[in-house]
């Protein structure tokens, strides 16, 4: 482990932790570049689910999202990045346009290999027009630093919803469905080497499922786009990890999985 990685590890509040070798083997070879042992599987079970991660009666369901997407499909072509940004900036496709301060399109490098997708802007993001700022943003920065990534250089970060749900309530299925074409077009234009998805709502929207993060993490999914299939890894949202620090070890394992399975370099052109 390098001094920088050690500092980032400590910033995450992860170390030192040890685990049985069979648990480490179950995650695959090379998933922990630090050489440190992975956390015990039973550690994660101690953390109670947070309200936001708990599936509720009104939880977004994959089928509901798909039905809404079919109803609200936008036939308007969005040919390039600038046009897409302008479309988002003035969008009134759902009711969130009435309560937002501004839209949050995304930040980072559009030529970066990885795309990170979160849920929706919070209060601070709504004010600043940037995703993942504040305490959750600082934890994301530490998580990325732990695997040697810089958020301005190595990733592009966006959310499923480009506008803040009032009071940070959960997104509604029709809001996700109406906003989904923007994220879809972002992925097509960015053409990342892989996608790291943070949080239940983002995972459910991209993978068209109603499964929990616990059921989706710790494996590599495929996201079809442009005739190809991008590797996609699901992990917990930094805001969830702030409320449930016992799950940071699992997030670390997910980051290591992403590091092992999402290419860090784009293929050379031509
Ligand atoms: S959340 Fe998405 S669909 Fe709704 S107004 Fe904002 S940009 Fe438009």
């Amino acid at each position: 482990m390098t001094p920088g990685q050690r500092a980032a590890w400590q910033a995450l509040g992860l170390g030192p932790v040890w685990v049985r070798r069979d648990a480490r083997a179950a995650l695959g070879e090379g998933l922990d570049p630090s050489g440190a042992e992975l956390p015990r599987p039973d550690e994660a079970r101690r953390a109670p689910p947070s309200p936001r991660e708990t599936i509720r009666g009104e939880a977004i369901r994959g089928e509901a999202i798909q039905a809404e997407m079919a109803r609200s499909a936008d036939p308007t072509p969005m040919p390039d990045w600038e046009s897409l940004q302008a479309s988002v900036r003035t969008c009134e496709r759902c009711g969130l346009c009435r309560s937002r301060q501004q839209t949050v399109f995304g930040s980072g490098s559009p030529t970066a290999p990885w795309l990170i997708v979160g849920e929706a802007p919070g209060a601070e993001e709504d004010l600043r027009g940037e995703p993942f700022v504040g305490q959750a943003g600082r934890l994301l920065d530490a998580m990325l630093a732990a695997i040697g990534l810089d958020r301005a250089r190595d990733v592009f970060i966006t959310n499923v919803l480009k506008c803040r749900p009032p009071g940070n309530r959960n997104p509604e299925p029709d809001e996700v469905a109406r906003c989904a074409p923007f994220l879809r077009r972002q992925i097509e234009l960015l053409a990342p080497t892989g996608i790291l998805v943070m949080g239940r709502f983002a995972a459910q929207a991209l993978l068209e499922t109603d499964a929990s993060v616990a059921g989706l993490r710790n494996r590599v999914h495929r996201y079809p786009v442009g005739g190809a299939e991008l590797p996609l890894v699901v992990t917990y949202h930094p805001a969830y990890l702030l409320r449930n620090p016992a799950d940071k070890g699992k997030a670390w394992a997910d980051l290591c999985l992403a590091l092992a399975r999402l290419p860090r370099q784009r293929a050379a052109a031509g």
Side-chain angles (χ1 to χ4, degrees):
M1 179 184 281
T2 66
Q5 285 175 321
R6 185 179 302 281
W9 176 277
Q10 288 169 349
L12 274 165
L14 288 173
V17 286
W18 290 269
V19 72
R20 298 190 310 267
R21 290 187 182 279
D22 57 338
R24 183 177 180 167
L27 285 166
E29 284 295 325
L31 295 187
D32 187 348
S34 72
E37 298 287 357
L38 292 168
R40 297 178 65 88
D42 59 352
E43 283 183 350
R45 287 199 288 270
R46 290 189 213 130
S50 76
R52 261 190 124 155
E53 291 290 343
T54 302
I55 296 179
R56 301 173 182 170
E58 82 277 15
I60 290 177
R61 298 182 63 82
E63 312 88 78
I65 293 172
Q66 291 312 299
E68 289 293 343
M69 287 175 79
R71 278 196 289 274
S72 63
D74 186 351
T76 308
M78 294 180 280
D80 57 38
W81 192 250
E82 288 72 27
S83 300
L84 184 61
Q85 283 182 296
S87 296
V88 168
R89 197 177 305 121
T90 58
C91 179
E92 297 181 348
R93 297 192 69 201
C94 82
L96 297 181
C97 67
R98 293 191 288 276
S99 53
R100 72 187 179 211
Q101 297 294 318
Q102 59 190 311
T103 58
V104 180
F105 185 75
S107 68
S109 169
T111 59
W114 286 16
L115 173 65
I116 295 177
V117 181
E119 174 184 317
E124 208 163 337
E125 287 86 357
D126 184 49
L127 284 175
R128 290 174 52 179
E130 278 184 55
F132 285 94
V133 296
Q135 208 178 352
R138 286 190 289 279
L139 178 56
L140 174 62
D141 291 348
M143 293 167 71
L144 293 176
I147 54 172
L149 298 180
D150 178 85
R151 73 180 277 163
R153 182 193 61 209
D154 300 315
V155 297
F156 189 85
I157 305 171
T158 190
N159 287 306
V160 170
L161 290 185
K162 311 307 183 195
C163 302
R164 179 197 180 204
N168 292 344
R169 65 161 169 75
N170 291 335
E172 298 289 347
D174 72 303
E175 294 162 353
V176 174
R178 288 172 188 279
C179 213
F182 293 132
L183 176 59
R184 177 81 190 170
R185 187 61 179 151
Q186 281 182 307
I187 295 173
E188 290 171 353
L189 291 170
L190 291 167
T193 61
I195 304 174
L196 180 62
V197 180
M198 302 189 128
R200 175 165 63 91
F201 289 96
Q204 290 178 342
L206 281 170
L207 296 174
E208 302 177 4
T209 177
D210 58 358
S212 66
V213 170
L216 296 170
R217 59 168 295 275
N218 197 27
R219 57 196 165 106
V220 179
H221 303 266
R222 314 301 298 185
Y223 182 82
V225 60
E229 288 194 325
L230 298 176
L232 183 154
V233 171
V234 173
T235 192
Y236 294 99
H237 194 284
Y240 167 85
L241 293 173
L242 289 171
R243 298 188 300 270
N244 300 273
D247 278 347
K248 284 183 177 178
K250 287 193 283 189
W252 171 251
D254 296 333
L255 289 177
C256 292
L257 176 63
L259 194 61
R261 301 293 295 277
L262 307 186
R264 292 280 304 275
Q265 304 287 335
R266 289 177 177 275

